[in-house]
Amino acid sequence: MKFIKRLLLLALLLLLVAVFYNYPKLNIISGYAAKNMASSVFVAERSIESVTQNDNNVPLIELADTEVNPDNNVASASVFGLMTREAVYRKGLGCVLINDDYDPNEVPPSPKRAFATNTLAFPYGDGEPRDSIFENVNYGLLQKTMDSAFARPATQKTRSVLVVYKDHILAERYANEISKETPVLGWSMTKSVLATLFGILEYQEKIDIATYRPFVPPIRLSKNSKD
């Protein structure tokens, strides 16, 4: 009898230790689930069912219960009712996880973006890609490769595949609810593109990343100026 009591006590202690060390992970799980759901629904305009079945059903993240409030542009998630996190969509700014300091009545400034379009073919514009045939390309093998990329959607979770060769699009395919206009997570690719854009803007003297302020050209006084 004493052995059973000691065994139960040990099991209880191990459970408490496991909860103590894993409880902070719930914050990451619910935070990711809420943010990904908000971005996918409010920015990419995908359905809640698709995101739940194809995006948030990965290990650990699938433990989160996610809800979407379209009236308030909010997605929330929790794990077994614990560590609830919310992500809110703001027009022009995208989605962000919020904390207790968030004021829903505060209207943040929204950027005024200018979108330049042209009819040039890929990769120089938004026009239709050029239709070209390359003798050194095995199009049959390319087709099989494209098929294999989408063969196991439950595990591969392929969103899109684009094959480019010598500035020509050889193959292009998207998963359900995804098109070439759908915003998708770029992960580290997004960081690389964003860093490049910041470099271009600084080269054009439109920003100054050293001071985190818009670039202000120096004032040059003429030789005849008295001030």
Side-chain angles (χ1 to χ4, degrees), residues 4 9 19 21 23 52-53 59 61 63 66-67 80 85 91 94 119 126 146 148-149 198 207 214-215 221 225:
I4 296 177
L9 180 59
V19 170
Y21 282 102
Y23 184 75
T52 302
Q53 296 174 3
I61 304 301
L63 297 176
T66 309
E67 297 181 357
F80 307 123
R85 297 298 309 273
K91 186 176 180 180
T119 57
D126 303 312
M146 295 291 288
S148 65
F198 270 106
I207 62 172
F215 184 85
L221 301 177
S225 175

Side-chain angles (χ1 to χ4, degrees), residues 65-180:
D65 294 321
T66 309
E67 297 181 357
V68 177
N69 187 336
D71 295 330
N72 295 329
N73 294 331
V74 172
S76 61
S78 63
V79 183
F80 307 123
L82 303 173
M83 199 66 77
T84 301
R85 297 298 309 273
E86 289 186 343
V88 60
Y89 166 73
R90 298 173 296 177
K91 186 176 180 180
L93 298 174
C95 301
V96 64
L97 286 170
I98 60 176
N99 53 25
D100 295 336
D101 296 331
Y102 173 71
D103 183 3
N105 298 318
E106 181 181 352
V107 180
S110 180
K112 297 180 180 180
R113 295 187 173 92
F115 297 93
T117 59
N118 60 61
T119 57
L120 294 176
F122 176 90
Y124 305 105
D126 303 312
E128 291 296 321
R130 293 170 292 179
D131 187 10
S132 301
I133 302 296
F134 294 92
E135 295 182 356
N136 60 325
V137 174
N138 187 332
Y139 288 92
L141 181 59
L142 178 60
Q143 182 64 38
K144 291 182 179 179
T145 303
M146 295 291 288
D147 293 339
S148 65
F150 293 87
R152 299 181 300 277
T155 55
Q156 292 174 304
K157 300 186 181 300
T158 305
R159 297 292 173 262
S160 62
V161 175
L162 181 69
V163 181
V164 178
Y165 177 67
K166 292 186 176 180
D167 289 344
H168 288 70
I169 297 178
L170 299 187
E172 184 176 5
R173 191 181 299 183
Y174 302 91
N176 293 334
E177 286 197 344
I178 304 293
S179 71
K180 64 180 181 180

